[in-house]
Amino acid sequence: QVRLEKEAAERRLVYGQEASALLAHDLNNGLSVSLSNLSYLLDTVQGDADTNDALAATLRSVRRMSSLVANFVDIARFEDAAVKPMATRVKVRSMLQSVIEVHSSSVTRGASLEIDCVPELEGRFDGGLIERVLHNLFGNATRYVNQNGKIILGGRRWIEGEDGSIEIFVTNTGP
């Protein structure tokens, strides 16, 4: 009886994982189309300020939803051990600039952006995975920065030496 219950529980778990993966895939596809179309509309529609503000707010919201779905997919992949970090040499400042470029349109309320990282700083880590974390942190910072506040993305050598640790951070002046 215990064996049968265990097998049934394992089947339900597998079905749940497969359903979650399908749902995330379908959501991701729909959100990608929405992001593309909203970006196009924001660039081409010559509406009044209210229309442009509404499009920009919608685009920010869809980006956040897309980020949540991507997180969900990443978590599932980690749990399945499908993600194996691939450490390579990464130019930290370039990675930080890339994150800012993706999210800069979502920074509102007069907030300023700053990169606190020397251009030559390099580290050895999985740049794609760390960038994913930074997108999440920076997205949170853009939502919670106070009016006319500041968001700082930075990196610095934490332990000296070529193989030393690097600290990468996101701060804001909000709560």
PDB file of all heavy atoms in Angstrom, residues 69-87:
ATOM      1  N   VAL A  69       8.005  34.943 -14.960  1.00  0.00           N
ATOM      2  CA  VAL A  69       7.919  33.664 -15.669  1.00  0.00           C
ATOM      3  C   VAL A  69       9.319  33.096 -15.879  1.00  0.00           C
ATOM      4  O   VAL A  69       9.549  31.899 -15.685  1.00  0.00           O
ATOM      5  CB  VAL A  69       7.161  33.820 -17.007  1.00  0.00           C
ATOM      6  CG1 VAL A  69       7.283  32.560 -17.855  1.00  0.00           C
ATOM      7  CG2 VAL A  69       5.698  34.150 -16.752  1.00  0.00           C
ATOM      8  N   ALA A  70      10.270  33.957 -16.254  1.00  0.00           N
ATOM      9  CA  ALA A  70      11.643  33.491 -16.444  1.00  0.00           C
ATOM     10  C   ALA A  70      12.216  32.944 -15.135  1.00  0.00           C
ATOM     11  O   ALA A  70      12.919  31.929 -15.136  1.00  0.00           O
ATOM     12  CB  ALA A  70      12.513  34.625 -16.981  1.00  0.00           C
ATOM     13  N   ASN A  71      11.905  33.601 -14.025  1.00  0.00           N
ATOM     14  CA  ASN A  71      12.354  33.094 -12.718  1.00  0.00           C
ATOM     15  C   ASN A  71      11.775  31.716 -12.451  1.00  0.00           C
ATOM     16  O   ASN A  71      12.461  30.816 -11.966  1.00  0.00           O
ATOM     17  CB  ASN A  71      11.918  34.029 -11.587  1.00  0.00           C
ATOM     18  CG  ASN A  71      12.705  35.299 -11.564  1.00  0.00           C
ATOM     19  OD1 ASN A  71      13.763  35.396 -12.161  1.00  0.00           O
ATOM     20  ND2 ASN A  71      12.177  36.289 -10.863  1.00  0.00           N
ATOM     21  N   PHE A  72      10.508  31.560 -12.742  1.00  0.00           N
ATOM     22  CA  PHE A  72       9.823  30.284 -12.539  1.00  0.00           C
ATOM     23  C   PHE A  72      10.516  29.180 -13.349  1.00  0.00           C
ATOM     24  O   PHE A  72      10.774  28.090 -12.847  1.00  0.00           O
ATOM     25  CB  PHE A  72       8.359  30.435 -12.954  1.00  0.00           C
ATOM     26  CG  PHE A  72       7.537  29.203 -12.771  1.00  0.00           C
ATOM     27  CD1 PHE A  72       7.165  28.776 -11.508  1.00  0.00           C
ATOM     28  CD2 PHE A  72       7.127  28.468 -13.871  1.00  0.00           C
ATOM     29  CE1 PHE A  72       6.399  27.631 -11.340  1.00  0.00           C
ATOM     30  CE2 PHE A  72       6.362  27.334 -13.716  1.00  0.00           C
ATOM     31  CZ  PHE A  72       6.002  26.912 -12.439  1.00  0.00           C
ATOM     32  N   VAL A  73      10.829  29.487 -14.596  1.00  0.00           N
ATOM     33  CA  VAL A  73      11.507  28.519 -15.467  1.00  0.00           C
ATOM     34  C   VAL A  73      12.899  28.197 -14.911  1.00  0.00           C
ATOM     35  O   VAL A  73      13.308  27.039 -14.855  1.00  0.00           O
ATOM     36  CB  VAL A  73      11.584  29.047 -16.910  1.00  0.00           C
ATOM     37  CG1 VAL A  73      12.486  28.177 -17.776  1.00  0.00           C
ATOM     38  CG2 VAL A  73      10.198  29.138 -17.516  1.00  0.00           C
ATOM     39  N   ASP A  74      13.615  29.237 -14.479  1.00  0.00           N
ATOM     40  CA  ASP A  74      14.958  29.017 -13.926  1.00  0.00           C
ATOM     41  C   ASP A  74      14.917  28.135 -12.690  1.00  0.00           C
ATOM     42  O   ASP A  74      15.740  27.237 -12.528  1.00  0.00           O
ATOM     43  CB  ASP A  74      15.617  30.355 -13.577  1.00  0.00           C
ATOM     44  CG  ASP A  74      16.057  31.133 -14.806  1.00  0.00           C
ATOM     45  OD1 ASP A  74      16.094  30.538 -15.906  1.00  0.00           O
ATOM     46  OD2 ASP A  74      16.354  32.324 -14.664  1.00  0.00           O
ATOM     47  N   ILE A  75      13.970  28.391 -11.803  1.00  0.00           N
ATOM     48  CA  ILE A  75      13.858  27.593 -10.572  1.00  0.00           C
ATOM     49  C   ILE A  75      13.592  26.133 -10.923  1.00  0.00           C
ATOM     50  O   ILE A  75      14.207  25.225 -10.372  1.00  0.00           O
ATOM     51  CB  ILE A  75      12.755  28.160  -9.657  1.00  0.00           C
ATOM     52  CG1 ILE A  75      13.212  29.485  -9.057  1.00  0.00           C
ATOM     53  CG2 ILE A  75      12.396  27.170  -8.553  1.00  0.00           C
ATOM     54  CD1 ILE A  75      12.111  30.266  -8.373  1.00  0.00           C
ATOM     55  N   ALA A  76      12.692  25.903 -11.859  1.00  0.00           N
ATOM     56  CA  ALA A  76      12.383  24.534 -12.263  1.00  0.00           C
ATOM     57  C   ALA A  76      13.622  23.854 -12.853  1.00  0.00           C
ATOM     58  O   ALA A  76      13.893  22.693 -12.568  1.00  0.00           O
ATOM     59  CB  ALA A  76      11.236  24.521 -13.273  1.00  0.00           C
ATOM     60  N   ARG A  77      14.377  24.595 -13.654  1.00  0.00           N
ATOM     61  CA  ARG A  77      15.577  24.021 -14.259  1.00  0.00           C
ATOM     62  C   ARG A  77      16.628  23.712 -13.203  1.00  0.00           C
ATOM     63  O   ARG A  77      17.323  22.699 -13.271  1.00  0.00           O
ATOM     64  CB  ARG A  77      16.133  24.962 -15.325  1.00  0.00           C
ATOM     65  CG  ARG A  77      15.229  25.009 -16.556  1.00  0.00           C
ATOM     66  CD  ARG A  77      15.654  26.048 -17.558  1.00  0.00           C
ATOM     67  NE  ARG A  77      17.010  25.842 -17.978  1.00  0.00           N
ATOM     68  CZ  ARG A  77      17.815  26.845 -18.350  1.00  0.00           C
ATOM     69  NH1 ARG A  77      17.389  28.080 -18.322  1.00  0.00           N
ATOM     70  NH2 ARG A  77      19.041  26.596 -18.743  1.00  0.00           N
ATOM     71  N   PHE A  78      16.767  24.574 -12.202  1.00  0.00           N
ATOM     72  CA  PHE A  78      17.715  24.309 -11.120  1.00  0.00           C
ATOM     73  C   PHE A  78      17.312  23.072 -10.344  1.00  0.00           C
ATOM     74  O   PHE A  78      18.142  22.247  -9.987  1.00  0.00           O
ATOM     75  CB  PHE A  78      17.804  25.500 -10.159  1.00  0.00           C
ATOM     76  CG  PHE A  78      18.794  26.536 -10.585  1.00  0.00           C
ATOM     77  CD1 PHE A  78      18.396  27.831 -10.826  1.00  0.00           C
ATOM     78  CD2 PHE A  78      20.128  26.214 -10.730  1.00  0.00           C
ATOM     79  CE1 PHE A  78      19.306  28.788 -11.217  1.00  0.00           C
ATOM     80  CE2 PHE A  78      21.053  27.161 -11.120  1.00  0.00           C
ATOM     81  CZ  PHE A  78      20.643  28.462 -11.368  1.00  0.00           C
ATOM     82  N   GLU A  79      16.014  22.954 -10.055  1.00  0.00           N
ATOM     83  CA  GLU A  79      15.544  21.807  -9.291  1.00  0.00           C
ATOM     84  C   GLU A  79      15.740  20.508 -10.058  1.00  0.00           C
ATOM     85  O   GLU A  79      15.949  19.458  -9.472  1.00  0.00           O
ATOM     86  CB  GLU A  79      14.080  21.999  -8.890  1.00  0.00           C
ATOM     87  CG  GLU A  79      13.915  23.051  -7.807  1.00  0.00           C
ATOM     88  CD  GLU A  79      12.469  23.335  -7.456  1.00  0.00           C
ATOM     89  OE1 GLU A  79      11.563  22.832  -8.157  1.00  0.00           O
ATOM     90  OE2 GLU A  79      12.243  24.075  -6.495  1.00  0.00           O
ATOM     91  N   ASP A  80      15.658  20.571 -11.378  1.00  0.00           N
ATOM     92  CA  ASP A  80      15.879  19.380 -12.194  1.00  0.00           C
ATOM     93  C   ASP A  80      17.362  19.161 -12.497  1.00  0.00           C
ATOM     94  O   ASP A  80      17.708  18.246 -13.226  1.00  0.00           O
ATOM     95  CB  ASP A  80      15.134  19.502 -13.532  1.00  0.00           C
ATOM     96  CG  ASP A  80      13.642  19.370 -13.383  1.00  0.00           C
ATOM     97  OD1 ASP A  80      13.196  18.894 -12.319  1.00  0.00           O
ATOM     98  OD2 ASP A  80      12.923  19.739 -14.327  1.00  0.00           O
ATOM     99  N   ALA A  81      18.195  20.030 -11.973  1.00  0.00           N
ATOM    100  CA  ALA A  81      19.637  19.984 -12.238  1.00  0.00           C
ATOM    101  C   ALA A  81      19.939  20.152 -13.719  1.00  0.00           C
ATOM    102  O   ALA A  81      20.969  19.713 -14.204  1.00  0.00           O
ATOM    103  CB  ALA A  81      20.260  18.701 -11.689  1.00  0.00           C
ATOM    104  N   ALA A  82      19.015  20.803 -14.446  1.00  0.00           N
ATOM    105  CA  ALA A  82      19.239  21.041 -15.871  1.00  0.00           C
ATOM    106  C   ALA A  82      20.162  22.232 -16.095  1.00  0.00           C
ATOM    107  O   ALA A  82      20.731  22.386 -17.161  1.00  0.00           O
ATOM    108  CB  ALA A  82      17.909  21.286 -16.587  1.00  0.00           C
ATOM    109  N   VAL A  83      20.311  23.079 -15.100  1.00  0.00           N
ATOM    110  CA  VAL A  83      21.181  24.236 -15.220  1.00  0.00           C
ATOM    111  C   VAL A  83      22.502  23.901 -14.551  1.00  0.00           C
ATOM    112  O   VAL A  83      22.554  23.589 -13.372  1.00  0.00           O
ATOM    113  CB  VAL A  83      20.547  25.477 -14.553  1.00  0.00           C
ATOM    114  CG1 VAL A  83      21.529  26.628 -14.543  1.00  0.00           C
ATOM    115  CG2 VAL A  83      19.278  25.858 -15.267  1.00  0.00           C
ATOM    116  N   LYS A  84      23.535  23.938 -15.339  1.00  0.00           N
ATOM    117  CA  LYS A  84      24.863  23.718 -14.808  1.00  0.00           C
ATOM    118  C   LYS A  84      25.653  24.999 -15.064  1.00  0.00           C
ATOM    119  O   LYS A  84      25.895  25.344 -16.213  1.00  0.00           O
ATOM    120  CB  LYS A  84      25.516  22.536 -15.505  1.00  0.00           C
ATOM    121  CG  LYS A  84      24.744  21.244 -15.296  1.00  0.00           C
ATOM    122  CD  LYS A  84      25.620  20.048 -15.397  1.00  0.00           C
ATOM    123  CE  LYS A  84      24.938  18.730 -15.229  1.00  0.00           C
ATOM    124  NZ  LYS A  84      23.689  18.636 -14.610  1.00  0.00           N
ATOM    125  N   PRO A  85      26.007  25.722 -13.998  1.00  0.00           N
ATOM    126  CA  PRO A  85      26.744  26.969 -14.200  1.00  0.00           C
ATOM    127  C   PRO A  85      27.998  26.751 -15.031  1.00  0.00           C
ATOM    128  O   PRO A  85      28.718  25.767 -14.845  1.00  0.00           O
ATOM    129  CB  PRO A  85      27.093  27.411 -12.774  1.00  0.00           C
ATOM    130  CG  PRO A  85      26.062  26.747 -11.914  1.00  0.00           C
ATOM    131  CD  PRO A  85      25.772  25.441 -12.588  1.00  0.00           C
ATOM    132  N   MET A  86      28.223  27.675 -15.957  1.00  0.00           N
ATOM    133  CA  MET A  86      29.393  27.623 -16.838  1.00  0.00           C
ATOM    134  C   MET A  86      30.222  28.870 -16.582  1.00  0.00           C
ATOM    135  O   MET A  86      29.904  29.952 -17.086  1.00  0.00           O
ATOM    136  CB  MET A  86      28.955  27.567 -18.307  1.00  0.00           C
ATOM    137  CG  MET A  86      28.061  26.380 -18.650  1.00  0.00           C
ATOM    138  SD  MET A  86      28.917  24.821 -18.588  1.00  0.00           S
ATOM    139  CE  MET A  86      29.889  24.959 -20.038  1.00  0.00           C
ATOM    140  N   ALA A  87      31.263  28.730 -15.778  1.00  0.00           N
ATOM    141  CA  ALA A  87      32.093  29.872 -15.413  1.00  0.00           C
ATOM    142  C   ALA A  87      33.004  30.256 -16.579  1.00  0.00           C
ATOM    143  O   ALA A  87      33.668  29.406 -17.170  1.00  0.00           O
ATOM    144  CB  ALA A  87      32.925  29.539 -14.184  1.00  0.00           C
TER     145      ALA A  87
END
